[in-house]
Amino acid sequence: MSVPEHRRIFGEHLRELRRDRGWGSQESFAHHVGMDRTYVSGLERGRRNPTLDVIVKLARGLEVTPADLLAPITSTS
């Protein structure tokens, strides 16, 4: 399965923000935001396509805005 570029970029940025904010494991972060670890893993690998509700939940858990979470995605991504 080919991963769309914008989802790959989103996932890499999510992983980077998670780690930068001290959430070393996907499991602990997933618990913090009320999601399953496998779902967070799928997001970080670009395999899952998050809804707006999920983006907001992730942003709150990372203490960033939803726009910050989406910032690396450009119109050409």
Side-chain angles (χ1 to χ4, degrees), residues 7 10-11 14 17 29-30 32-70:
R7 289 198 339 224
F10 176 85
L14 173 60
L17 288 172
F29 177 68
H32 172 68
V33 295
M35 294 180 185
D36 189 86
R37 183 208 56 83
T38 59
Y39 186 74
V40 172
S41 173
L43 290 170
E44 289 186 359
R45 291 180 295 120
R47 300 286 184 193
R48 302 298 304 246
N49 190 18
T51 64
L52 180 57
D53 290 343
V54 167
I55 291 168
V56 169
K57 187 182 275 194
L58 292 168
R60 286 180 180 157
L62 293 166
E63 298 180 352
V64 299
T65 68
D68 291 334
L69 198 50
L70 296 169

Side-chain angles (χ1 to χ4, degrees), residues 2-20:
S2 177
V3 175
E5 183 71 4
H6 60 277
R7 289 198 339 224
R8 184 190 62 75
I9 291 168
F10 176 85
E12 288 175 359
H13 188 56
L14 173 60
R15 180 181 299 115
E16 181 181 301
L17 288 172
R18 174 179 58 81
R19 290 177 176 167
D20 286 351

